[in-house]
Amino acid sequence: MNQPYRLTLLPGDGIGPEIMAIAVDVLKVIGKQFKLDFIFQEALIGGAAIEATGQPLPEETLTMARNSDAVLLAAIGGYKWDNLPRQQRPETGLLAIREGLGLFANLRPATVFPQLVDASSLKREVVEGVDIMVVRELTGGIYFGQPKGIFETETGEKRGVNTMAYRESEIDRIAKVAFEIARKRRHQLCSVDKANVLDVSQLWRDRVVEMSANYPDVELSHLYVDNAAMQLVRAPKQFDTIVTGNLFGDILSDEASMLTGSIGMLPSASLGADGPGLFEPVHGSAPDIAGQDKANPLAQVLSAAMMLRYGLNQPEAADKIEQAVAQVLENGDRTGDIFSFGTRLVGCRQMGDILLQILES
Ligand code: IPM
Ligand code: MG
């Protein structure tokens, strides 16, 4: 056995615990097969943490996460906590762990699985073969810029303020990640901004252009965010790797995920300069189906694969998981979110068991 990997598991809320259980089972089997030793430690985040401690990200959770090799998160949030003050909302816990671990690079693949191409709301010929990687800046921009808040003006009227700001160094480091990812893919990078209106975007564009000198093998293009949103539904196959700021990336990655018709299938990775990365499904906590064994665990399982690939540098183990997921789809097993006529409806646990069987066969 190699040195054990210490993994922090954050099951969170809603369907989180159900899908996390499947990913852990998968990791245990993969661990045996690839001689990887995992130490699993669980901690609280989101609504579950609010209930237990009053805080969406207890200090203990952040400390445990910092001292681990990777963090696997399921999902956070639920109706129950939607109306709490911002400091106590589940989302605040998520933002705090991103900031606390310095996870500035968020990788969100939008891949159309050939077996699920008809699940997309777009035409087959538009989405077949789509394979996009959105690289979203995650710890800067308007999410974190100062000043922010709701202030009272002289007339007593309230004014809400957020600030979109990027430093050169923040742009350079996310651009570097994106160029390097594009290099491992189809060597095309599209940077998305709003440089026709926003000064912060002009600086973004200038820096990305400057950085491109180091990557002559990567073809760089630029789009304004409104046009990018349109092009994504018009002709998504033109995109390989996209790099953009925090807010634009939030919106465009949701849009890109919908091209695939199966948001329940998409993983993501959030990486920092060093230290552990955080890996989580793109979908949310789906409180409406929580505890009913209906959730699709595949995005969580694929997040564990991304963890192996990008967090622990175990690409063969990641490949094996991804192949097993493809095999499940090939066999025609489907949870409700991806079910279609002629396929077989299975629950969350059953989907997990089928996956384990494939891995062990
Ligand atoms: C996401 C989510 C979060 C974000 C929310 C829940 C804070 O929408 O991960 O995309 O806006 O970053
Ligand atoms: Mg979002």
Side-chain angles (χ1 to χ4, degrees):
M1 284 271 173
N2 301 313
Q3 183 79 355
Y5 290 120
R6 203 172 277 278
L7 304 181
T8 295
L9 307 177
L10 305 174
D13 307 317
I15 59 171
E18 300 163 57
I19 59 176
M20 182 64 88
I22 309 289
V24 169
D25 287 349
V26 165
L27 284 169
K28 285 181 180 160
V29 170
I30 282 290
K32 278 200 201 102
Q33 294 177 342
F34 288 83
K35 303 218 177 335
L36 308 172
D37 194 5
F38 298 118
I39 300 173
F40 298 102
Q41 351 169 267
E42 206 172 292
L44 294 169
I45 193 170
I50 296 169
E51 295 301 305
T53 70
Q55 307 244 320
L57 180 68
E59 193 54 46
E60 208 186 319
T61 299
L62 187 56
T63 307
M64 187 190 284
R66 279 203 179 110
N67 292 326
S68 55
D69 294 297
V71 182
L72 190 62
L73 171 73
I76 53 138
Y79 316 122
K80 189 169 174 192
W81 308 287
D82 276 351
N83 295 315
L84 289 173
R86 184 171 308 284
Q87 268 323 305
Q88 290 163 35
R89 281 197 215 155
E91 290 79 1
T92 303
L94 186 57
L95 296 176
I97 197 167
R98 288 173 181 170
E99 194 183 21
L101 296 178
L103 306 173
F104 68 87
N106 184 209
L107 280 43
R108 296 191 167 184
T111 320
V112 172
F113 292 85
Q115 302 89 346
L116 300 179
V117 66
D118 293 315
S120 175
S121 53
L122 297 188
K123 294 191 189 102
R124 170 179 270 269
E125 58 271 26
V126 175
V127 293
E128 203 163 32
V130 161
D131 176 10
I132 301 172
M133 178 68 90
V134 179
V135 180
R136 168 190 177 194
E137 199 290 327
L138 201 60
T139 52
I142 197 165
Y143 273 53
F144 293 92
Q146 293 290 346
K148 64 155 127 191
I150 299 175
F151 305 101
E152 201 153 313
T153 63
E154 284 139 30
T155 63
E157 188 188 16
K158 283 183 183 153
R159 184 163 181 263
V161 179
N162 287 93
T163 304
M164 192 186 281
Y166 274 114
R167 290 170 197 276
E168 291 181 308
S169 55
E170 290 175 303
I171 302 168
D172 292 1
R173 67 180 181 178
I174 190 72
K176 180 166 187 280
V177 169
F179 276 110
E180 274 162 21
I181 286 178
R183 206 169 235 184
K184 291 189 191 150
R185 293 173 47 92
R186 301 190 299 280
H187 296 250
Q188 289 167 26
L189 180 63
C190 178
S191 170
V192 173
D193 62 40
K194 190 69 188 173
N196 50 344
V197 178
L198 303 177
D199 298 313
V200 55
S201 279
Q202 187 59 55
L203 182 66
W204 178 280
R205 191 175 283 217
D206 294 347
R207 291 310 310 170
V208 173
V209 168
E210 179 107 10
M211 294 287 292
S212 70
N214 304 328
Y215 302 90
D217 54 319
V218 176
E219 186 194 317
L220 175 66
S221 62
H222 305 272
L223 282 180
Y224 299 136
V225 62
D226 49 349
N227 189 16
M230 184 178 73
Q231 295 301 333
L232 267 174
V233 286
R234 194 187 70 84
K237 277 182 254 186
Q238 71 186 284
F239 294 104
D240 169 21
T241 309
I242 293 176
V243 64
T244 189
N246 206 340
L247 179 62
F248 300 158
D250 178 44
I251 299 167
L252 294 181
S253 63
D254 262 29
E255 191 188 2
S257 72
M258 225 30 232
L259 298 173
T260 71
S262 43
I263 193 167
M265 296 293 303
L266 299 177
S268 75
S270 303
L271 309 173
D274 42 38
L278 181 141
F279 304 84
E280 59 176 313
V282 168
H283 64 69
S285 60
D288 52 320
I289 57 163
Q292 299 174 32
D293 194 36
K294 286 184 180 163
N296 182 349
L298 296 178
Q300 185 72 57
V301 168
L302 291 171
S303 299
M306 271 192 114
M307 176 181 82
L308 289 163
R309 185 181 306 284
Y310 293 100
L312 306 178
N313 201 18
Q314 297 289 344
E316 289 90 10
D319 285 344
K320 172 125 199 215
I321 294 179
E322 287 164 2
Q323 283 155 13
V325 169
Q327 188 60 53
V328 168
L329 297 178
E330 202 53 48
N331 293 354
D333 296 310
R334 304 277 191 274
T335 44
D337 58 314
I338 51 175
F339 177 76
S340 64
F341 186 71
T343 62
R344 189 168 77 108
L345 185 64
V346 299
C348 178
R349 186 64 251 176
Q350 200 183 353
M351 183 61 111
D353 290 341
I354 295 168
L355 205 53
L356 293 174
Q357 265 170 32
I358 292 174
L359 285 170
E360 281 172 336
S361 68

